[in-house]
């Protein structure tokens, strides 16, 4: 994995890919699928996400205050759905679906080796957790896999329907 | 425009398209481009978004507490960038770029006639506005244009680069 400047994190999350979220609690790692996330600030690199209280990851994220957001490309679509269809309460999803835990540099939850990008995050604000299950995260370290060229991300449309990235277009824009 | 059940709004926003955000203040409508948004709850249909304090729309959204999120398809990409490259402080963007204002049913800001979906929203929580420019919205009415079949949405990757929806894939999922 190659380090990515934190100022470029938004280029990964802003287009709205489904991501994996890893947590760790009592020495045990877990992973879930997540689409409810958005950028909040460029620098420091802040992200908001909503994790349902029904998800086993919720308690781990709230108590440990750390996670990794891992971005899968199209080839991981089937595993992504498997991850989303079961709970870490019942099984070790990394083992069950052949996902590789790599050590993160600054947080306890693992990176996902098969993902083309991994963002190490700390919860910096729990002020909206009780009301909306909304966490404010700061990305403290970011990694990309240089071996995955032009990865196509996956976007959730509900009930097992996903749209995969298509053509890229370039337009003269002053927007960062 | 055909009405869309509010329980389906997430299927539009969850995949992370760039959207247009319309506001109205003192009888004058404005429109901006926005990518920092996410779903917060299915029902009631709640959305979070971040609008920079540098944007002319910020004050209108904060004071009037209403907006429309309009979702453009690929054919609007060039106009979308034009909207993003200038400020409503200086010009009437609807007139300048040939965007059609249609009356909304429940809020003052207009729908955008050329967009394939329009979501009428009210600000329901300003608790994170001062700290993060983050607004909690409730979608109170949603519309889709039945004449636009299988619209391809646009996703911002930064600096004028956008990725357009590609193929749709279906996988057996228990995830809503």
């Amino acid at each position: 994995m190659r380090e990515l400047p934190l100022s470029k994190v938004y280029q990964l999350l802003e287009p709205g890919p489904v991501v994996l979220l890893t947590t760790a609690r009592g020495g045990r790692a877990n992973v879930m699928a997540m689409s409810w996330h958005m950028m909040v600030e460029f620098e420091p690199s802040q992200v908001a996400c909503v994790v349902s209280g029904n998800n086993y990851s919720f308690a781990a994220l709230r108590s440990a205050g750390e996670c990794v957001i891992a971005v899968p490309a199209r080839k991981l679509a089937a595993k992504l759905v498997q991850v989303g269809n079961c709970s870490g309460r019942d099984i070790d999803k990394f083992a069950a679906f052949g996902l590789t835990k790599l050590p993160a540099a600054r947080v306890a939850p693992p990176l996902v080796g098969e993902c083309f990008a991994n963002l190490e995050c700390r919860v910096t604000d729990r002020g909206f957790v009780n009301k909306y299950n909304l966490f404010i995260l700061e990305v403290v370290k970011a990694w990309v896999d240089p071996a995955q060229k032009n990865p196509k991300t996956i976007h959730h449309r509900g009930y097992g329907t996903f749209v995969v990235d298509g053509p890229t277009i370039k337009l003269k824009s002053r927007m960062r």
Side-chain angles (χ1 to χ4, degrees), chain A residues 55-74:
Chain A
N55 284 313
Y56 187 62
S57 303
F58 176 83
L61 182 59
R62 185 167 58 176
S63 64
E66 293 185 341
C67 63
V68 169
I69 294 175
V71 192
R74 181 186 182 151

Side-chain angles (χ1 to χ4, degrees), chain A residues 10-168:
Chain A
Y10 82 97
Q11 296 176 5
L12 295 168
L13 295 187
E14 202 169 300
V18 190
V19 298
L20 294 172
L21 185 84
T22 78
T23 49
R25 199 186 187 195
R28 187 164 165 269
N30 189 25
V31 57
M32 63 172 276
M34 178 173 83
S35 282
W36 291 10
H37 58 77
M38 69 173 173
M39 290 302 300
V40 169
E41 185 55 87
F42 290 111
E43 293 176 80
S45 181
Q46 290 176 319
V47 176
C49 69
V50 173
V51 175
S52 163
N54 297 325
N55 284 313
Y56 187 62
S57 303
F58 176 83
L61 182 59
R62 185 167 58 176
S63 64
E66 293 185 341
C67 63
V68 169
I69 294 175
V71 192
R74 181 186 182 151
K75 63 175 181 181
L76 286 180
K79 289 189 181 190
L80 180 76
V81 171
Q82 288 177 310
V83 164
N85 278 351
C86 63
S87 171
R89 270 182 209 94
D90 310 315
I91 58 163
D92 175 346
K93 299 198 217 178
F94 290 94
F97 307 124
L99 293 170
T100 307
K101 287 180 277 189
L102 297 178
R106 298 190 56 190
V107 299
L111 314 182
V112 180
E114 290 75 13
C115 286
F116 74 88
N118 279 275
L119 313 175
E120 303 184 21
C121 301
R122 290 217 179 93
V123 176
T124 53
D125 198 329
R126 290 169 170 82
F128 265 18
V129 171
N130 285 344
K131 207 165 175 186
Y132 300 105
N133 298 330
L134 188 160
F135 294 85
I136 302 287
L137 311 174
E138 181 177 339
V139 184
V140 294
K141 197 95 173 171
W143 306 97
V144 288
D145 177 1
Q148 296 195 47
K149 309 282 184 202
N150 303 312
K152 302 284 184 188
T153 62
I154 311 158
H155 304 254
H156 189 229
R157 290 210 180 278
Y159 297 105
T161 303
F162 298 85
V163 62
V164 181
D165 286 350
T168 296

